[in-house]
Amino acid sequence: MKRLVVTADDFGAAPEVNEAVERAYREGALTAASLMVAGAAAADAVARAKAMPGLRVGLHLVLVGERPALPSSAIPDLVDGRGRLRADMARAGAAMAFRPRVRRQLEAEIRAQFEAFRATGLVLDHVNAHKHFHLHPTICSLMISVGREFGMRAARAPCEPRLPQEAAAPRTRMESAIARPFALALRRRLRAKGILVPDAVFGLAWSGAMTAPRLRAILKALPEGLSEIYMHPATGPYEGSAPGYRYAEELMALTDPSVLELVNGAEARRGGFADFAPSPSKARLALPSGAAL
């Protein structure tokens, strides 16, 4: 059986992202969004999410390059001279792996972000990390141990199948091939802890360039099982946005009539992770608007 989650990352980063998320949900194929709780427009994102109760919202853990949830004085080894989380992922990752003091600060920041999400009053649909930094074993361990205290039941491991990816474009980005063994290990680890993980994830090879033709190709080749397509829609570039990302084109792709026709015609049940995670003690949450049974 095919099941599909269509997620927007970086919800709360800027008003341009928030507006795009709302449009992509109300007018397009979007079913979920990942919230940056310390983002510059996080409060606006939460307000919009509460006005769209069918939109499934998860936590986008941010541990690189952006604003932390804790004061910089509480996590001196995780931040740079501007008080932003360090952008040098290789060196920061090594410190997280080998220095107990840094790991304690890392755990504190992860916990603070989970606490900030809980304070929004939103239901935690899923967890993933900015730039997929949870591929790092130390971050993964802390995400699991802290996350389970806050009700984490689903997470992303960016395992991108080859065939639909190749259908979307004749060439793929090197990042997808490099990440694959780490992503497979992450998926095994999460599943061993009883956490729901998609069978297939699309968006890594063409991150920031998920145009309508690529999205259509992926939808036409959607495999059986649970798939997640993640994107970065925005109405345009914003302060701190990634150079070269085609934000407006991704929004256009999510609302493209031909994409919607494929989504609505696909024999796939759509929703957020909460709609697919086992929850025997609770009635299943209502599906997002437009979801197919």
Side-chain angles (χ1 to χ4, degrees), residues 74-106:
I75 49 171
D77 295 298
L78 300 184
V79 297
D80 59 20
R82 301 176 302 150
R84 311 277 286 193
L85 290 159
R86 292 170 54 178
D88 53 340
M89 293 177 67
R91 293 183 63 185
M96 292 170 183
F98 298 113
R99 295 179 58 193
R101 164 182 157 138
V102 179
R103 287 198 299 273
R104 289 192 294 270
Q105 293 175 31
L106 176 64

Side-chain angles (χ1 to χ4, degrees), residues 87-141:
D88 53 340
M89 293 177 67
R91 293 183 63 185
M96 292 170 183
F98 298 113
R99 295 179 58 193
R101 164 182 157 138
V102 179
R103 287 198 299 273
R104 289 192 294 270
Q105 293 175 31
L106 176 64
E107 180 175 3
E109 176 62 24
I110 290 173
R111 183 174 298 277
Q113 292 189 31
F114 272 101
E115 288 175 344
F117 188 97
R118 182 168 64 184
T120 68
L122 297 171
V123 176
L124 181 63
D125 182 74
H126 61 272
V127 181
N128 53 53
H130 193 49
K131 298 185 182 294
H132 292 121
F133 212 0
H134 62 309
L135 290 170
H136 189 298
T138 301
I139 294 174
C140 174
S141 293

